[in-house]
Amino acid sequence: MNLPEATRSRLKHQHLVLEDLIGGLTGEQLNKEVYAGKWTIHQQLAHLASYNHTFLTRIHIIMETFNARFDPYLADNDPEFLLACQMETPELLNYFKKGSKKITDLIFSLNTSELIRTGIHAHYGNLSVLMWTEFYLLHEAHHIYGVFRMVNELKNLAAIPGK
């Protein structure tokens, strides 16, 4: 089993859209709670950056442990997330890109026997490293979509006179 080309491409490029999406936004906009009770754009970025660290750790554990088991990730319990939230956005984006590159480099370096190693997720069951990678990419895409929605909402609010 080789790493599918679509997975390779998404690992290399999917996250790059974030800078395009948030380009031109002010610090106030990045930290505005667009949807009541939901994360800001900055917090979404902090979550993605801190989850990179968690994902890398999990893949390393899978490589070293038979039947490694993982509970669902909870950002609010992650000290990395809390630290990332305190970073300025340019620093946070740099941290995120570095983590994404580490993930890409690691996954691209794995051979077939490593890609089929498994770890058990409390909700999703037994997943190969390849499936963990798909889970990671879908999770990232979900949050990129959230950023897209918030950016669009901010632009719509700015276009409405008196808002």
Side-chain angles (χ1 to χ4, degrees):
M1 168 197 317
N2 292 325
L3 193 62
E5 187 53 41
T7 304
R8 286 179 160 287
S9 180
R10 287 167 39 232
L11 278 169
K12 284 197 280 188
H13 304 291
Q14 175 174 270
H15 65 282
L16 299 176
V17 71
L18 282 168
E19 285 188 269
D20 293 334
L21 287 174
I22 68 168
L25 294 181
T26 65
E28 181 182 341
Q29 289 171 313
L30 292 167
N31 289 291
K32 179 178 177 56
E33 190 177 276
V34 177
Y35 302 112
K38 301 292 184 181
W39 282 344
T40 65
I41 291 170
H42 187 83
Q43 289 169 315
Q44 292 273 0
L45 298 174
H47 171 62
L48 287 170
S50 59
Y51 186 73
N52 279 349
H53 174 75
T54 298
F55 180 75
L56 275 170
T57 301
R58 288 180 174 191
I59 297 303
H60 285 295
I61 291 170
I62 291 168
M63 291 295 120
E64 299 165 4
T65 309
F66 180 73
N67 283 333
R69 294 181 178 274
F70 304 99
D71 289 326
Y73 172 82
L74 298 172
D76 293 331
N77 296 340
D78 181 4
E80 289 278 333
F81 172 68
L82 301 175
L83 288 172
C85 284
Q86 300 307 311
M87 293 179 184
E88 294 295 323
T89 303
E91 178 187 10
L92 179 56
L93 283 170
N94 190 45
Y95 177 59
F96 172 64
K97 286 190 283 188
K98 284 181 181 178
S100 295
K101 175 142 179 33
K102 287 179 184 177
I103 288 169
T104 300
D105 291 346
L106 173 63
I107 298 301
F108 283 16
S109 76
L110 300 178
N111 61 39
T112 298
S113 65
E114 292 166 324
L115 287 172
I116 63 172
R117 287 192 61 92
T118 60
I120 302 165
H121 188 281
H123 288 164
Y124 303 114
N126 201 23
L127 301 173
S128 68
V129 169
L130 180 58
M131 291 306 291
W132 276 98
T133 304
E134 287 299 325
F135 174 72
Y136 164 81
L137 287 165
L138 291 168
H139 169 261
E140 182 180 74
H142 166 77
H143 287 281
I144 291 170
Y145 174 66
V147 169
F148 168 83
R149 288 183 60 223
M150 287 188 282
V151 167
N152 191 54
E153 186 70 22
L154 287 168
K155 288 179 180 178
N156 286 335
L157 287 173
I160 299 171
K163 288 275 183 174

